[in-house]
Structures are given as C-alpha cells and as structure tokens.
Amino acid sequence: MDKKTPLVEMKNIHLSFGGIKAVDDVSVDLYPGEVVGLLGHNGAGKSTLIKVLSGAYQADSGEIYVDGEQATINNPRDARAYNIETIYQTLALADNLDAASNLFLGREIVNQFGLVDDDAMEAETRRIMGRLNPNFDNFSSPVAALSGGQRQSVAITRAVYFNARILIMDEPTAALGPQETEMVAELINQLKADGIGIFLISHDIHDVMDLCDRISVMKNGKLVGTENVTDVTDDEILSMIILGKKPGQAA
Amino acid sequence: MNKSIKNFVAAIGIDLRLVGMVGALVALWVVFDLFTGGRFLTPRNLFNLSVQTASVAVMATGMVFVIVTRHIDLSVGALLGFIGMIMGTLQVHILPQYLGLGHWSIWIITIFAGVSLGAVVGAFQGWIIGYLMVPAFIVTLGGLLVWRGAAWWVTQGQTVAPVDTTFRLLGGGSEGTLGDTLSWTFGVLATVAALVMMIQSRRRRAKHGFTPKPLWAEYSLGGIATFIIMGFVIVMNAYPLPKGAVKRYAAARDMEIPAEGLFISHGIAIPVVILLLVGVAMTFVAKRTRFGRYVFATGGNPDAAELSGINTRMLTVKVFALMGALTAIASVIASARLGSVGNDLGVLDELRVIAAAVIGGTALSGGIGTIHGAIIGAVIMQSLQSGMAMVGVDAPLQSIVVGVVLVLAVLVDITYRRRAGL
C-alpha cells in the first residue's frame, strides 16, 4: 500500500479563527481502499481539518494533493468535483425536503428543458435505497419526519451515489442504534473493497479498532501522530488522545 | 374532521392544510352572506373581491420566497408607491412629449420600465442582505422609509393623473375585463391545461413504475379542478356591466339598446388574469426549477444548502429581485385600478402582503410555504375586510378582528404542523 500514490495528501495545513490555532501544521494522507481514523477530543481540530478538505473552510496555508496533483478547494463544489464527499455529523439535510430532493441537492436530475425531474430522482432514490437500506420506504415525506437511522441513510446515500472516491464520515454512528451501526460498518467494508478511501472521525475506540487501518490523533490543533492500528493497543491510542503522547515515548 | 373525508383527501393527494384554508374561506363567505342578507355571495361582490385581491396577492407570491428563505421584506408597500409614481410620471408627463398622447406603445414602455426598476431595486436590497450581511428586516425597514420619501420627491407630492387608457384596462374597471366569450375561452383552456398536466404526471409516474393513485381519485381531482375553474367563469360572467358602461359599449359597436336593457357580462377581470398567470408561473418556478428547489432547501437548512454547493448569497439577491419585479406588477394593477397615482399608494401594503403569506401557511422559521396558499391567504384577508365593511363593523373593530385572525391562523398552522411532526 505504501508504494502507491496517496489518494489524498493534506500537507502542513494551518487554520486560525481569531488568534486561536484550530489546525496547526497538520499533515495526513489516505490511500485507496484504506480507512484512516481521525481521533481526538472535542475541539481537537479534527472536524475543522476535515472541513478544509470538504471545502467548507479554507486553510490559511498548506497544500492538498489529490492523486499526487495539487488541488484547489475553495468551496464544497470544488471538493465534489474531486469526488470528495462528506457525511457531516449534523447530516446537513434540508429537513423540509423529501429524501430524493436531499440526495440530489445541488446536483438535480434535469430534463431536456433544464427543469428538475422529480420522478426520475425518486426512481433513482428508490433504486439505490433498495440496495443500501432495503427497509427504507418513505419517499414522499420531508426527511424531518424520518427516524435517525433513515435520515442517516439519506446522508450516506448522498455521499456514495455520486461515485465518491474519497469519503469523509464525521461521527457516522453517533446517533444510531446497534443494528444501524452494524449496517454502517458493513457499508464501510464494502466501500473499502471498492477502493474508496475513507476518513472516519469517531469518538468510539471500538469503531476505530474494528474499521480503521490507520489512525491519526489530534490534540489542541496539532497532530500527535499517525499509527497502524495493528501496531498499537487501545491503551496506547487512549494515551495519545488524552496525554498527546506518542507510543514508545517515555512517560 | 370526519375520518372518511380525511381518507378521501389523503387518497387524492391534496394537502390537508389547503383543505382547511379553503374550508375557512368558504365558512367566512357563508357567515358574511348571512349577516349581509345575501349581498356578499353575489357575482358583483365576488367580482369586486377578486379585483381588490389581485395587487396584494401578486406580491404575496413573491413574499413566499422571501419568507421561505428566512428573510422578510417590509419595503414592498413603499416600493409599490415609488414605482407607481415613476410609471405615472413616465406615462403622463414624459412619454407623451416624445410619442404623442395616447400612443399605443406608452403602456408597454411604462410597464417594462417599472418592472425593470422593481427588479433592480430588489436586487440592490438583496445584495446588501446577502453579501453585506445586513439583516433583511433592517434593510427593508430602511427601504420602507427611503422609497416612500423618494415617491414624494418624484412629483413633489402631487398626484399624477390620468393614466394611459390602455394601461388603465389592467386595473380591471368595467372595461378592463375579458368579457364573456374570452372568459369562457380562458376557462376552457385552463381546464384542458390542468387535465393534460394531470394525465402527463400520471403517465410519467407509471413509466417509472410507481404505484399510481386510484383512478377514482384522479377523476375526483379533475372534477374538482374543472368545477372550480368553470364555476369561477360562470360567476364572473353573471355580473353584468352597469347601465352607463352598457351605453358606452353599445355606442362603440353601433348597437341599439333594446327597451328591456342589454346584458353584457364583465367576465374575468384583467388584473385577476394577471394574478392567475403570476400564480401559475411562480408555482412552476417553485416546483420545477433548480432556483425554486434551492429557495426551499436554503430555507430548510442554510448550512446544508451551502455545503451542497448552492450559492446562497446570490440566491438572496435573486429572491429579492423577483420580489421587486412582482411589486412592480402589483403597482401596475393598483395604479391602473385607481386611474391615478397618489402619495398614499401602497401604504401598509407590506403588512397585508406578509399577513396574506402567513395566513396562507408560510412559516416565518423558513422552508415552508406555497404559492396557492399565499393567494388564498390574500383572498381571506380581503374577504374579511370587505365583509366587515359590508356588515357595517366599525373601522377600529375591523383592524382588531384582522389582527386576531392573523395570530389565530398562525397558531392553528403551528399546532397542526407540530401534530403532523413536520
């Protein structure tokens, strides 16, 4: 895996908000078919870092490479053009619209007159949902009326439908029951097999140990370190998160 | 509500809130009819009601988009007055100098100038809101003062009259109507269009393999649509021109007036035709264009819209530009109806427009609202006002009632929405 070009490389990213260094000289990378876990406390800067990649924030300095080529990502549209898709912790759904409208938001299917084709979008949504979450059956209600798991399905489907190559998942299982969490885990493994690279932001150390290949730990805006999951123990990861201490360092 | 009615409504796929609104309107009409001894539900009064509603209803359709995107526009009444003054001056004092009085193109140039001005002013206000981040409430409150003052300045406070004769028809006086033949044509065309759209929609959904609505539901819906359109045409055609207008009508056509008098129908008023076209166009924009989709998405969750790559700032500019253009159209109707433009044109209209949109189910929290709801809201507002005036309710009590109804309508809407889990 190490010999290939990374799918994404974020190099020396800096981003401050009014004097507070939210992200301070952080570099991470991601290879095809790999899941990299981003860990850290609330406010460690992991969500901010990832929003730089998804185009929601612009870095003060630093470079992003996609497939080894330098990429310019100034807004979410740019990120989508690089096949970078994001599932936000808040899901970022328009609650007043139905599943199909949310799935295609910003990328509507239009007919030959440039008018949105709701029927075609609903048909596509039914088709893809039939594969990803066969229990999903509510295509006409606003997503506000759906359960947490169903809403999550809509957000996940939106990310994978448009041929994502780089997927960012921000706490994808935080609001889910055990059964739905299992479904997300299955999906991640399936996407991995398809060669998609995934950044997984999570609090749950078990999620991370089960699903991730590598972990990058952040604390106070800085990168503590990046390790292969097989090389470290739970305790070592915890001490990276809590103490900001790399494994092998003297206490 | 009765369970079988509920099931019926659900099966034919009409929004329950729409049924409630229409029900409230019909109840209101019946009550006023009883209290006025049958003077309310007459072709004459319904015709007047339709004409009086048109100007506010046209603006209410635009206000839906503004409120859905979580903004507000308090400047529409003042802007209506300002644009009215500009259009009045243009057609009364300026254009006749160059083209000659009564030239055929005066009304067209006037309207074109007015609508362009409205769109530019709206876009400017939208730019301050979207790009400079000043809250819409403040920008348009400023606009209310600015445009009302600017309107005075155009003519130093003088009333401009009389407006161009063709322009005047757009206000719907006794000549500004379609007449019976054209009204029938309009009604038949509208019915055919509605039915064709229903059939096409059914075919499209069948093509994608969706479970279709039961046929009886489609027939009921088609029947209701036909009944409403044709009923409206029949009522408008049942209102004859008054004697003076009949004399002018006969004289213009070299006709003899028989001893028993001549029954010439008003038919649908032209401002109402304008309103219906605006309503259809705005519904189309809301439902079938990306712009409309983004308006609702942005209102539902601005962050999500932004993260989906929607340029929400530019969207704000467009929404307010559209509001400005619709205000200009409303200004055409209002000034044409009066035949003159005075300083008080459009005073307090912003409140009527916002009330109409809100009574029609537009939520100030954003994301929710319909064009047809806002138009029905405008009809309810106007019915209340004319009804109470006909019954002889004192003016102060009238405004108290309208105020209470506004709050109650929103309370009912919020309660319904909470129950439905939306």
Side-chain angles (χ1 to χ4, degrees):
Chain A
M1 195 182 284
D2 290 349
K3 286 157 220 134
K4 281 189 283 185
T5 325
L7 208 48
V8 180
E9 225 181 332
M10 298 179 80
K11 272 191 184 164
N12 310 106
I13 303 290
H14 289 263
L15 179 57
S16 306
F17 294 112
I20 296 168
K21 289 180 177 169
V23 177
D24 187 5
D25 197 30
V26 174
S27 303
V28 291
D29 55 5
L30 177 68
Y31 289 85
E34 186 191 33
V35 180
V36 171
L38 274 176
L39 307 181
H41 281 307
N42 284 334
K46 40 193 206 314
S47 283
T48 311
L49 175 71
I50 234 59
K51 279 187 173 170
V52 171
L53 185 58
S54 68
Y57 294 147
Q58 279 88 54
D60 297 330
S61 68
E63 287 123 40
I64 301 174
Y65 296 86
V66 175
D67 292 326
E69 310 227 343
Q70 187 158 8
T72 318
I73 298 175
N74 290 323
N75 56 48
R77 250 166 304 162
D78 291 346
R80 284 179 166 194
Y82 286 110
N83 296 82
I84 300 171
E85 296 285 340
T86 311
I87 301 164
Y88 293 97
Q89 188 173 5
T90 57
L91 302 186
L93 298 174
D95 280 333
N96 55 334
L97 302 182
D98 60 17
S101 302
N102 268 294
L103 209 158
F104 289 93
L105 190 57
R107 294 181 282 208
E108 288 75 10
I109 299 180
V110 293
N111 63 16
Q112 68 268 37
F113 306 111
L115 303 171
V116 296
D117 190 342
D118 279 316
D119 296 329
M121 290 193 279
E122 186 179 330
E124 273 301 286
T125 309
R126 282 174 186 274
R127 194 179 61 75
I128 185 107
M129 276 296 183
R131 262 181 27 218
L132 286 175
N133 183 359
N135 298 327
F136 192 96
D137 57 358
N138 196 339
F139 294 94
S140 55
S141 300
V143 294
L146 304 182
S147 72
Q150 287 179 323
R151 289 160 54 80
Q152 189 89 35
S153 304
V154 176
I156 293 175
T157 310
R158 171 167 64 185
V160 298
Y161 177 79
F162 295 93
N163 303 318
R165 295 181 56 229
I166 301 148
L167 191 59
I168 301 165
M169 300 174 114
D170 192 352
E171 303 282 359
T173 58
L176 298 186
Q179 205 184 344
E180 286 152 333
T181 305
E182 186 54 38
M183 216 167 65
V184 172
E186 263 172 46
L187 178 70
I188 289 176
N189 284 322
Q190 187 188 327
L191 294 170
K192 246 175 91 162
D194 293 342
I196 294 171
I198 300 174
F199 275 124
L200 182 67
I201 301 178
S202 183
H203 272 98
D204 188 341
I205 195 95
H206 301 292
D207 263 11
V208 176
M209 295 307 272
D210 293 346
L211 296 170
C212 297
D213 300 301
R214 286 187 298 152
I215 48 145
S216 292
V217 179
M218 286 180 74
K219 185 175 165 64
N220 298 336
K222 289 194 172 70
L223 183 72
V224 176
T226 302
E227 301 291 338
N228 285 325
V229 170
T230 46
D231 299 345
V232 287
T233 64
D234 287 15
D235 286 347
E236 280 172 324
I237 294 177
L238 281 175
S239 90
M240 284 171 84
I241 296 172
I242 298 167
L243 304 172
K245 197 178 63 170
K246 285 190 79 159
Q249 259 180 354
Chain B
M1 193 186 286
N2 190 314
K3 191 149 195 166
S4 62
I5 297 179
K6 227 176 204 168
N7 289 341
F8 174 76
V9 168
I12 59 179
I14 302 181
D15 178 16
L16 204 56
R17 283 220 302 284
L18 175 62
V19 178
M21 261 186 286
V22 173
L25 180 63
V26 170
L28 201 61
W29 283 3
V30 170
V31 169
F32 278 134
D33 200 49
L34 290 176
F35 274 93
T36 54
R39 279 187 300 133
F40 193 85
L41 286 179
T42 56
R44 179 194 144 122
N45 189 51
L46 292 176
F47 175 87
N48 288 335
L49 198 62
S50 73
V51 175
Q52 287 159 356
T53 306
S55 166
V56 164
V58 164
M59 289 189 280
T61 64
M63 193 61 82
V64 170
F65 281 13
V66 171
I67 297 179
V68 161
T69 50
R70 303 188 178 188
H71 296 299
I72 195 79
D73 193 339
L74 300 173
S75 71
V76 292
L79 185 58
L80 181 142
F82 175 64
I83 296 173
M85 270 296 177
I86 295 283
M87 289 194 299
T89 311
L90 195 61
Q91 63 185 313
V92 174
H93 298 311
I94 299 175
L95 288 177
Q97 280 181 28
Y98 299 97
L99 302 168
L101 197 63
H103 190 270
W104 60 270
S105 69
I106 285 179
W107 71 281
I108 300 173
I109 297 174
T110 302
I111 292 175
F112 183 77
V115 172
S116 310
L117 177 65
V120 169
V121 168
F124 176 64
Q125 295 189 147
W127 174 75
I128 299 177
I129 296 161
Y131 284 87
L132 304 186
M133 306 288 195
V134 184
F137 188 95
I138 301 300
V139 173
T140 59
L141 181 61
L144 185 156
L145 299 168
V146 168
W147 306 120
R148 185 56 69 193
W152 191 91
W153 232 332
V154 175
T155 60
Q156 303 300 316
Q158 285 176 12
T159 298
V160 184
V163 299
D164 178 77
T165 46
T166 316
F167 186 87
R168 190 168 189 151
L169 300 181
L170 303 175
S174 57
E175 270 117 57
T177 62
L178 291 186
D180 56 354
T181 318
L182 268 179
S183 294
W184 280 118
T185 318
F186 183 81
V188 170
L189 284 179
T191 309
V192 170
L195 296 180
V196 165
M197 270 184 335
M198 284 172 56
I199 294 168
Q200 275 186 338
S201 158
R202 189 181 172 82
R203 281 211 190 123
R204 253 201 330 265
R205 293 186 67 81
K207 201 182 78 190
H208 287 298
F210 302 158
T211 330
K213 282 185 215 168
L215 262 182
W216 64 264
E218 301 271 20
Y219 283 124
S220 311
L221 204 58
I224 293 171
T226 311
F227 174 80
I228 291 175
I229 296 171
M230 284 306 168
F232 182 63
V233 173
I234 289 170
V235 171
M236 293 299 116
N237 275 341
Y239 176 34
L241 291 183
K243 277 205 181 97
V246 171
K247 262 185 208 152
R248 283 199 298 278
Y249 180 92
R253 290 167 180 74
D254 277 333
M255 281 164 60
E256 285 288 315
I257 300 180
E260 70 273 16
L262 204 54
F263 188 96
I264 308 292
S265 296
H266 270 88
I268 304 171
I270 290 176
V272 177
V273 175
I274 297 175
L275 167 62
L276 294 174
L277 294 179
V278 166
V280 169
M282 287 292 284
T283 304
F284 181 82
V285 169
K287 298 270 181 208
R288 299 300 309 274
T289 66
R290 288 188 147 178
F291 169 71
R293 181 62 45 88
Y294 296 167
V295 164
F296 281 84
T298 304
N301 188 343
D303 296 332
E306 193 87 43
L307 292 172
S308 299
I310 296 168
N311 186 344
T312 54
R313 295 171 168 209
M314 195 58 200
L315 193 81
T316 304
V317 175
K318 287 180 187 164
V319 165
F320 276 88
L322 183 59
M323 181 75 248
L326 289 168
T327 305
I329 293 174
S331 181
V332 169
I333 294 173
S335 57
R337 181 162 156 250
L338 294 174
S340 64
V341 185
N343 260 311
D344 57 349
L345 189 70
V347 169
L348 288 184
D349 266 9
E350 58 281 342
L351 301 183
R352 293 192 190 99
V353 170
I354 292 168
V358 168
I359 288 180
T362 312
L364 284 168
S365 51
I368 295 170
T370 57
I371 303 299
H372 58 255
I375 294 175
I376 295 173
V379 177
I380 291 177
M381 287 279 295
Q382 191 57 47
S383 300
L384 264 179
Q385 284 190 322
S386 359
M388 284 191 293
M390 283 172 79
V391 173
V393 177
D394 292 339
L397 187 56
Q398 284 186 28
S399 62
I400 291 176
V401 171
V402 171
V404 171
V405 166
L406 174 65
V407 176
L408 274 182
V410 174
L411 178 65
V412 168
D413 197 47
I414 288 176
T415 313
Y416 167 79
R417 222 175 272 153
R418 199 173 294 147
R419 291 251 173 92
L422 299 176

